[in-house]
Amino acid sequence: NLSSRLIHLCLALFLLGGVFLSRARAQEEQPESLCVVLALDNSGSMEWNDPDGLRFTAARLFVALLDIGDQVGLIEFSTGSRALTDGMVTINSPADKEALIALLTPKSPEGYTDIKAALEEAAAMLSEAEGCGTRTLVLLTDGEPEIESDYPEYEEEALAVASELDVPVMSIALTPEAVSYTHLTLPT
């Protein structure tokens, strides 16, 4: 319903604000840019958990709040992971923000929830980021990792990839199922 979706959007924006608060603290000590990868779940379950694409609205707002000099990488994931940007993109002008925002249009949800693929894509993007004061991954998802085949080690491997990132993973859970997995097991 509408009130539930609005609550989720407000929660997402509140949690995204944590990135900027930690950045403000870091700027007091080190005025380098923020390097953030934003990974958006677009699995099939998003069709009923976020039918209006509010995660894309939150992502567009997030990008709009970034400063000149910040770097951002955008990822969409479902059965696999797809980079929406060519690695990390440095924001040099308002036009750069507009181009990034244009990439964040809702697409038809489909497939599984391969969080590991998104984490691996984020690792590749963050490894090329230079001159960052704060590095982080923001993950918007509605559920536990789920892949097409039976693979018992999958979740353990996904957690290992997250730990190897050596950056905070700010997981925004769009459902109670996502809370149980992402908030209790991913590093922050």
Side-chain angles (χ1 to χ4, degrees), residues 113-133:
T113 308
D114 192 349
I115 290 176
K116 180 182 170 190
L119 293 169
E120 291 170 338
E121 188 80 45
M125 286 183 173
L126 288 166
S127 71
E128 68 182 50
E130 297 178 359
C132 302

Side-chain angles (χ1 to χ4, degrees), residues 55-117:
R55 66 198 179 283
F56 289 97
T57 302
R60 288 190 301 271
L61 179 59
F62 181 81
V63 169
L65 292 171
L66 293 172
D67 289 333
I68 300 298
D70 287 341
Q71 298 176 48
V72 65
L74 302 174
I75 297 171
E76 179 183 292
F77 69 97
S78 58
T79 300
S81 179
R82 182 172 72 93
L84 300 177
T85 56
D86 184 17
M88 299 298 288
V89 175
T90 301
I91 298 173
N92 293 310
S93 68
D96 291 339
K97 283 187 187 186
E98 291 173 18
L100 289 163
I101 289 168
L103 297 173
L104 294 166
T105 56
K107 294 150 189 86
S108 295
E110 62 183 0
Y112 292 90
T113 308
D114 192 349
I115 290 176
K116 180 182 170 190

Side-chain angles (χ1 to χ4, degrees), residues 23-32:
R23 177 181 184 199
R25 289 183 189 137
Q27 281 186 336
E28 292 172 5
E29 302 164 7
Q30 185 177 3
E32 294 179 345

Side-chain angles (χ1 to χ4, degrees), residues 14-73:
F14 173 76
L15 292 172
L16 288 174
V19 171
F20 294 104
L21 179 59
S22 66
R23 177 181 184 199
R25 289 183 189 137
Q27 281 186 336
E28 292 172 5
E29 302 164 7
Q30 185 177 3
E32 294 179 345
S33 69
L34 173 68
C35 292
V36 62
V37 173
L38 185 57
L40 303 168
D41 184 342
N42 202 43
S43 61
S45 58
M46 296 305 273
E47 188 172 339
W48 57 87
N49 286 326
D50 185 20
D52 296 325
L54 294 178
R55 66 198 179 283
F56 289 97
T57 302
R60 288 190 301 271
L61 179 59
F62 181 81
V63 169
L65 292 171
L66 293 172
D67 289 333
I68 300 298
D70 287 341
Q71 298 176 48
V72 65

